[in-house]
Amino acid sequence: MARELILVFIGVFALLLIIGLSARFIGFLQGAADGRFTAEALWLLLALRIPEFVQVTAPFALFLALLLTFGRLHAEREYAVLATAGASPSRFVCWVLAVVVPVAVLVAAMSLAVTPQARKLYAELSLEQLVDSELDALVPGAFHTHDGGRRVSYAQSVDRATNRLEGVFLAERQGSVDVTIWAESGRQHRHPVTGSRFLELHNGVRYEGRPGEAGYRVVEFERLGQRLERDAPIPLVDVRSFRFGNLDIEDPKQAAELHGRIAWPLMTVIAALAAFGLARPQPRAGRFARTVPGVALFVAYYLALVFAQDGVAEGVVPRLLGLWFVHAVMLAVAVWLTLTGTRPAGRLWPGRR
């Protein structure tokens, strides 16, 4: 039974993880196409999101695995045979916990340590745009805007191995003056001593003037060098990236984050117990009969935690109370479902023999 439960869990977990990561990867591809970061950074960004996806997906996958596994055992009367042979409900719960506890430990490791660190690295790399300069993110044949539309860049072709650009167009607003540059080719390089980055353009024309006026300054050049500078990124303060030991319970937002991290492993165990009790279908119902009510119960549990966490962050829910009342209510529901779901059929429908 444990082997079947683990196999179903792995299958459901892998499916949900692939769906979630695929959707996120499509978003990263769009970002790379828009020039927000280089294409080489896609896999790094995706890897930094995996811990969070594991943390979110594992409890729901385990919940579904329990519903499907025990739904089949009940529908095919295997559960009744095991119970008749002496397997008590407490023994079934112990068998379930043997699988649930390791998953809960994995979720706890992700929620308390791995995911916050991954969030921190993801925020830092996103803030720095994962590039040394804006031109590193150029996509051939596409216009890219920078600095709120003040600068526009274009390259007909890009060779990243040699940092060479072909068919280069640059436009920039400098106060009330527009500067436009066309060049046959360009190349990026770094100064060996200072480490500064430069863009060296070859065989082009530079236009400088005010729109609507005829007094434009036109300069033809064989080689034009320009230093590439970037403003220092402004660090963002995100409590989701704080280490667990650094969260301050006195601050409402940090208290909400602390309770939210603790909630994930607790939700894994409590929801699993609820799934075990809910898996028993009605007579003549199929093995999937409890799937829809079960998913509705899990979603209600999750939304209750989200609303309660928002209440803690806004000061509506006391910080010390946190999300414990939601867990207590769901635990009571799980115990009730377990007691009723493991009760002999004759006691569920009085008068039947």
Side-chain angles (χ1 to χ4, degrees):
M1 187 184 67
R3 182 172 60 252
E4 180 179 351
L5 176 59
I6 292 174
L7 291 177
V8 175
F9 166 71
I10 292 175
V12 176
F13 175 73
L15 179 62
L16 295 177
L17 192 63
I18 291 173
I19 293 174
L21 291 178
S22 299
R24 179 60 61 181
F25 186 69
I26 292 174
F28 289 154
L29 284 177
Q30 183 62 42
D34 294 338
R36 292 198 296 268
F37 43 78
T38 62
E40 291 79 5
L42 290 176
W43 297 109
L44 180 58
L45 288 170
L46 194 65
L48 291 175
R49 298 306 301 268
I50 289 178
E52 184 177 0
F53 277 101
V54 172
Q55 168 188 315
V56 175
T57 305
F60 185 54
L62 181 61
F63 183 86
L64 286 180
L66 284 164
L67 282 179
L68 296 176
T69 301
F70 281 92
R72 188 195 68 80
L73 291 177
H74 284 290
E76 298 179 3
R77 302 296 185 267
E78 292 185 24
Y79 185 95
V81 172
L82 290 172
T84 304
S88 63
S90 60
R91 179 172 295 182
F92 276 105
V93 172
C94 291
W95 291 342
V96 168
L97 290 179
V99 178
V100 171
V101 171
V103 177
V105 171
L106 173 65
V107 173
M110 295 295 168
S111 176
L112 300 180
V114 181
T115 299
Q117 183 64 23
R119 281 182 177 273
K120 181 180 179 181
L121 295 175
Y122 180 87
E124 292 175 353
L125 294 175
S126 297
L127 187 61
E128 295 174 0
Q129 298 182 3
L130 297 178
V131 292
D132 290 330
S133 72
E134 296 169 344
L135 296 179
D136 288 335
L138 277 179
V139 176
F143 287 90
H144 301 272
T145 59
H146 315 282
D147 194 17
R150 292 179 58 86
R151 294 192 302 277
V152 179
S153 58
Y154 170 89
Q156 184 177 358
S157 64
V158 179
D159 187 352
R160 302 198 184 280
T162 61
N163 285 329
R164 184 176 177 83
L165 311 175
E166 299 288 345
V168 182
F169 168 78
L170 301 174
E172 183 177 2
R173 170 65 62 86
Q174 299 178 356
S176 60
V177 178
D178 285 352
V179 177
T180 305
I181 300 175
W182 287 92
E184 292 182 1
S185 62
R187 186 178 67 88
Q188 299 181 71
H189 64 90
R190 188 186 299 274
H191 194 277
V193 178
T194 63
S196 300
R197 294 181 63 88
F198 291 87
L199 174 63
E200 185 178 291
L201 301 175
H202 300 274
N203 300 326
V205 183
R206 184 180 188 272
Y207 302 91
E208 179 180 342
R210 293 181 174 87
E213 299 182 5
Y216 265 75
R217 181 184 179 186
V218 181
V219 178
E220 296 183 0
F221 59 86
E222 292 184 0
R223 188 177 68 173
L224 175 66
Q226 181 175 342
R227 182 175 179 177
L228 300 176
E229 297 182 354
R230 301 174 64 237
D231 297 333
I234 301 175
L236 301 177
V237 178
D238 187 0
V239 298
R240 297 179 300 175
S241 63
F242 288 5
R243 297 184 62 179
F244 183 78
N246 295 336
L247 293 173
D248 185 7
I249 191 64
E250 299 299 328
D251 181 80
K253 292 184 179 180
Q254 296 188 38
E257 177 65 19
L258 185 146
H259 285 292
R261 295 184 189 180
I262 298 175
W264 284 105
L266 289 178
M267 180 176 66
T268 303
V269 177
I270 297 175
L273 293 176
F276 169 71
L278 187 65
R280 181 175 184 173
Q282 296 294 333
R284 294 180 296 278
R287 57 181 295 186
F288 303 107
R290 291 293 193 176
T291 303
V292 174
V295 172
L297 179 64
F298 186 91
V299 172
Y301 186 18
Y302 174 76
L303 292 178
L305 290 174
V306 171
F307 291 140
Q309 186 175 1
D310 291 340
V312 175
E314 296 174 0
V316 177
V317 178
R319 297 189 301 271
L320 296 179
L321 178 61
L323 313 182
W324 296 108
F325 69 98
V326 179
H327 295 303
V329 172
M330 189 62 188
L331 180 60
V333 172
V335 172
W336 177 78
L337 288 173
T338 301
L339 293 177
T340 57
T342 57
R343 187 179 303 168
R347 298 184 60 182
L348 286 176
W349 297 281
R352 301 186 71 178
R353 298 290 183 182

